[in-house]
Amino acid sequence: MRAFRRCSSILITKVSDFLARVRRRADAQTLNVNYVIEQEDGKSLKEPLLVVYKDNTSNSEVSFSSDEDKGSDESRVSTDGAGFSINSVARSDTKESTQKRQQEDLRGTKEGSHVDTVPNNIDASNLPRRTLDEKLKEMKDQVIRAKAYLNFSPANSSSHFVKELKLRIRDVQRAMSQSTKDSRVSRRYTIFCSSSHSIYMKLKLLQNQKSFPQLGEIILICDTDSQHSLKMKAMDSTLLKASRIYPDCSAMVKKLRAMTYNAEEQVRTHQTQESFLKELGGRTIPKGLHCLSMRLTAEYYALEPQEREFPNKYKRRDPDFYHFAVFSDNILACSVVVNSTVSTAREPGRIVFHIVTDPLNFPSISMWFLSNPPGKATVHVESTDSYQWLYTKYNVTTKKEASVDPRYTSELNHLRFYLPDLFPNLNKIILLDHDVVVRKDLTRLWSMKMRGRVNGAVQTCDEGELSFRSMDMFINFTDPVLANKFDSKTCTWAFGMNLFNLQQWRRRCLTQVYHKYLQLGKDRPLWRAGSLPIGWITFYGHTVPLNKKWHLLGLGYDSNVRKEDIEQAAVIHYDGNLKPWLDIGVEKYKFYWQKHVKYEHPFLQSCNIHE
């Protein structure tokens, strides 16, 4: 009886120890899984968390390490510093058994396939993507070669080889499509498996234990990758057979050259279409702006004639005030320019805005500023119909350039060259484009010494910047008329925020210079469409450079403009196609423009114009 009690006590002790060990292992595995989940939710974790990839035709690159200092028995797959770890499938109670099992696994791996350690100087996070890209390129090459061989066969041929070739092409194309879909899967859960049987079995066991719920998706990608490799091998054997059936290399060279030429033509066509669509998107009018224009136009014609007059008319001709000119057909753009300028001015009561627009938008823009006056500043809106006498004086037509782009054929684009005639009583004026936002007081420019020059502008001749422009990029210096009078290396400047000395302009008769070269440009191609190149020629030798902080370019095409530069700039310019009032505008730059729009206005609300 005593012996039975002793045996029972020993048995109970062993069973208790066994259950305790099992409980500790389960808790450790649960903690490890929770740690992994926490790491996935953490902001400091780098992705991808686990990178192991498979390529049956090439060597796998996998790195394993064990933390012997802490006595851990985890097998860790190295990544780009992410530190993602997976518990070993079968654990031992001692460190010696763990090391022995790892050595056996590595020995089995070496027997199954060659395993290389990822070098320290290689970014392991890029390896799976690089392998996938190389495989896709190889698949595309196979399809191109197969189609070339297919063209050598007789038309409407139904031979066994032609059917086989078509089948291989379909298989590889489907594999390419599937590989592209796989690459879109979140890299956090994507594993490109090694061909090592040991690793594959461990992942299978982890899946069976349900340690990771996403592992089923991972294993599916691994199996799909293996299927793609088999399809590529089958295509290789078919292409080898085709090379024996069609051994004429010269015919293959001709065919590939023809295919290359057709591909280049398609690329050029797509590039032309892309460029056209970008330009089209940049000059479209959103539905909300069209709605707003219609509402304001109806309100304008409901006013009495005396109610349509702007106050403070005497200020328009007084040279002692700060005068600004804007040529635009966009209501919101004009309002942002006016509001931002007035909000930053030290003396807003001395600011006078001259807004020139076309006859179609004149009622709506007039109504906007009549019902929303910009504080103490003065605004006057004028239509281009009021300046028809200009074309009689200079004997020119209203259409300035033979271009399909309305920005170049519009009168508003070239009226800037008639500023001395439009404002005969003024001595200085600042010309602003309608896609700018003023962030600092511009009235300080009136005290700047221009040293007898006509135009004050920011230069764009730094080759290291995206705003770089050179004269030979826009002007045809192969023409002797231009080559003998102008230096192609002369520093260029930008429109958008320009200070003009109208007295010097009249003295040097620069409007006549503009007309002279404008007429030459109609007879032969001297420059690209637009007012910028002819502006460089008109004000050649008459421009004084301004500090770059006065005018910051690039917010309409460059998404990498530094915030520090924006904060320091007096004027930020959304030049390019990505205008802030369009959906295609750069989102992080829209804030500077939107804060000057009165979105609470009932007309903007009814026309669905929101931030």
Side-chain angles (χ1 to χ4, degrees):
M1 188 68 180
R2 188 177 300 170
F4 176 76
R5 289 178 180 176
R6 188 184 306 112
C7 291
S8 299
S9 176
I10 294 172
L11 180 61
I12 290 172
T13 302
K14 289 186 177 182
V15 171
S16 299
D17 293 339
F18 175 77
L19 292 176
R21 286 198 301 271
V22 171
R23 192 178 298 109
R24 284 196 299 271
R25 293 176 189 174
D27 293 340
Q29 185 173 1
T30 302
L31 288 173
N32 187 67
V33 172
N34 292 336
Y35 172 75
V36 172
I37 294 174
E38 291 174 1
Q39 288 286 359
E40 289 181 1
D41 295 335
K43 295 182 180 180
S44 62
L45 185 63
K46 298 181 180 179
E47 294 183 1
L49 297 178
L50 179 60
V51 179
V52 185
Y53 67 92
K54 174 181 179 180
D55 190 352
N56 291 338
T57 60
S58 61
N59 298 332
S60 300
E61 298 187 15
V62 184
S63 175
F64 296 93
S65 63
S66 60
D67 192 352
E68 297 180 355
D69 297 335
K70 296 181 182 180
S72 174
D73 53 352
E74 297 176 353
S75 296
R76 183 178 304 171
V77 182
S78 96
T79 65
D80 57 342
F84 185 90
S85 59
I86 302 178
N87 286 341
S88 300
V89 179
R91 293 177 178 264
S92 299
D93 295 333
T94 63
K95 185 188 301 183
E96 291 78 12
S97 60
T98 301
Q99 294 176 350
K100 182 178 180 181
R101 185 174 66 256
Q102 289 178 351
Q103 293 175 358
E104 292 176 356
D105 291 342
L106 289 176
R107 193 180 304 113
T109 300
K110 292 180 180 179
E111 293 175 359
S113 66
H114 182 69
V115 179
D116 297 328
T117 303
V118 178
N120 294 330
N121 59 347
I122 295 179
D123 185 5
S125 63
N126 293 328
L127 291 175
R129 183 71 207 178
R130 191 184 311 146
T131 304
L132 179 61
D133 291 342
E134 292 175 357
K135 185 171 292 187
L136 286 174
K137 289 179 181 178
E138 186 177 351
M139 288 180 180
K140 290 178 182 178
D141 291 341
Q142 287 182 336
V143 172
I144 291 174
R145 290 169 57 196
K147 288 182 178 180
Y149 282 123
L150 194 61
N151 288 325
F152 292 154
S153 61
N156 300 324
S157 175
S158 59
S159 63
H160 175 74
F161 173 73
V162 172
K163 293 180 180 179
E164 178 184 354
L165 199 57
K166 291 180 179 179
L167 177 63
R168 300 299 181 215
I169 292 174
R170 285 196 299 269
D171 289 344
V172 175
Q173 287 177 338
R174 289 172 184 170
M176 291 168 57
S177 177
Q178 186 63 38
S179 297
T180 305
K181 292 179 181 178
D182 291 345
S183 66
R184 295 172 186 167
V185 179
S186 174
R187 296 179 68 185
R188 177 174 295 181
Y189 304 124
T190 303
I191 299 179
F192 293 82
C193 294
S194 167
S195 59
S196 168
H197 179 72
S198 173
I199 299 175
Y200 186 79
M201 291 306 297
K202 286 182 180 181
L203 289 173
K204 280 292 188 182
L205 287 172
L206 282 173
Q207 184 186 26
N208 294 336
Q209 294 178 1
K210 298 182 179 180
S211 298
F212 299 97
Q214 302 89 353
L215 202 56
E217 182 181 8
I218 295 173
I219 299 301
L220 174 62
I221 296 177
C222 296
D223 295 340
T224 304
D225 181 68
S226 178
Q227 294 174 8
H228 295 349
S229 298
L230 293 176
K231 291 179 181 179
M232 293 174 65
K233 288 182 178 179
M235 175 62 91
D236 282 334
S237 62
T238 303
L239 292 175
L240 181 61
K241 188 188 301 183
S243 64
R244 294 171 183 171
I245 298 175
Y246 305 107
D248 187 3
C249 295
S250 61
M252 173 60 75
V253 170
K254 291 180 181 179
K255 184 62 183 176
L256 291 176
R257 284 179 178 174
M259 294 174 67
T260 302
Y261 176 78
N262 291 335
E264 290 175 350
E265 286 295 321
Q266 290 179 3
V267 169
R268 280 192 287 268
T269 301
H270 290 316
Q271 288 177 343
T272 303
Q273 292 176 351
E274 179 189 13
S275 177
F276 173 76
L277 291 175
K278 284 183 177 180
E279 293 290 337
L280 182 62
R283 61 177 183 258
T284 53
I285 300 177
K287 185 183 297 185
L289 285 181
H290 180 72
C291 167
L292 178 62
S293 179
M294 295 297 100
R295 292 289 303 272
L296 291 171
T297 300
E299 292 291 327
Y300 178 80
Y301 285 111
L303 296 176
E304 296 294 331
Q306 62 273 14
E307 296 176 336
R308 301 176 187 176
E309 298 293 330
F310 285 92
N312 301 324
K313 282 188 175 182
Y314 70 95
K315 292 184 179 181
R316 292 183 297 167
R317 298 178 177 85
D318 192 339
D320 294 331
F321 290 91
Y322 302 117
H323 294 265
F324 295 82
V326 181
F327 300 92
S328 174
D329 55 1
N330 188 309
I331 302 171
L332 287 185
C334 288
S335 68
V336 168
V337 175
V338 173
N339 293 338
S340 62
T341 304
V342 174
S343 64
T344 57
R346 296 178 181 178
E347 300 178 274
R350 296 188 60 195
I351 289 180
V352 180
F353 263 96
H354 305 267
I355 299 177
V356 181
T357 185
D358 54 28
L360 180 64
N361 293 279
F362 172 75
S364 57
I365 295 181
S366 297
M367 187 62 207
W368 176 264
F369 287 104
L370 285 171
S371 58
N372 300 278
K376 299 180 180 180
T378 300
V379 175
H380 180 72
V381 182
E382 197 72 56
S383 172
T384 55
D385 281 348
S386 304
Y387 302 128
Q388 292 300 319
W389 54 269
L390 279 175
Y391 308 118
T392 303
K393 176 181 178 180
Y394 291 102
N395 192 24
V396 293
T397 59
T398 58
K399 188 172 182 179
K400 300 297 179 183
E401 300 193 30
S403 173
V404 296
D405 194 331
R407 293 176 300 176
Y408 300 149
T409 58
S410 172
E411 297 173 85
L412 298 175
N413 192 47
H414 286 264
L415 275 178
R416 65 186 65 188
F417 295 103
Y418 299 95
L419 289 177
D421 298 287
L422 300 179
F423 310 108
N425 299 317
L426 304 183
N427 299 326
K428 283 186 178 181
I429 194 169
I430 288 182
L431 176 66
L432 296 174
D433 281 0
H434 71 171
D435 52 355
V436 304
V437 175
V438 179
R439 295 182 51 80
K440 294 185 179 181
D441 183 23
L442 297 182
T443 58
R444 294 176 295 163
L445 288 173
W446 263 262
S447 61
M448 188 187 73
K449 296 181 180 180
M450 300 188 67
R451 304 190 300 272
R453 305 292 179 88
V454 177
N455 175 28
V458 170
Q459 294 182 333
T460 57
C461 49
D462 290 341
E463 296 187 12
E465 299 180 356
L466 285 179
S467 60
F468 168 73
R469 301 288 185 273
S470 63
M471 294 189 71
D472 54 7
M473 292 171 60
F474 292 81
I475 299 175
N476 179 20
F477 281 100
T478 59
D479 191 287
V481 175
L482 299 179
N484 296 331
K485 292 187 177 181
F486 304 98
D487 183 7
S488 62
K489 304 299 181 182
T490 302
C491 194
T492 58
W493 46 269
F495 275 126
M497 196 285 295
N498 303 83
L499 173 65
F500 288 107
N501 186 334
L502 301 183
Q503 289 180 319
Q504 293 293 331
W505 189 328
R506 298 184 189 99
R507 187 176 297 115
R508 300 177 186 277
C509 302
L510 293 184
T511 302
Q512 285 80 357
V513 174
Y514 159 75
H515 279 291
K516 172 186 174 182
Y517 288 102
L518 181 66
Q519 191 63 38
L520 288 175
K522 292 181 180 179
D523 299 334
R524 52 186 181 273
L526 295 181
W527 47 74
R528 290 171 57 180
S531 60
L532 184 59
I534 196 172
W536 291 341
I537 292 176
T538 302
F539 300 106
Y540 185 84
H542 303 293
T543 301
V544 57
L546 300 179
N547 190 296
K548 288 191 174 182
K549 293 182 179 180
W550 283 107
H551 185 193
L552 179 64
L553 301 163
L555 276 72
Y557 59 85
D558 183 10
S559 60
N560 296 317
V561 179
R562 297 191 309 168
K563 186 176 181 180
E564 296 80 7
D565 295 337
I566 297 177
E567 296 297 332
Q568 295 176 3
V571 175
I572 56 176
H573 194 175
Y574 295 84
D575 53 322
N577 296 320
L578 308 181
K579 303 300 184 186
W581 55 83
L582 300 176
D583 292 337
I584 62 175
V586 182
E587 198 65 34
K588 63 180 179 180
Y589 301 148
K590 288 184 177 181
F591 163 76
Y592 304 104
W593 188 84
Q594 290 175 342
K595 69 178 183 179
H596 297 288
V597 180
K598 296 181 178 180
Y599 287 105
E600 68 280 2
H601 194 280
F603 283 2
L604 270 67
Q605 295 287 329
S606 62
C607 290
N608 200 26
I609 300 177
H610 307 287
E611 293 188 49

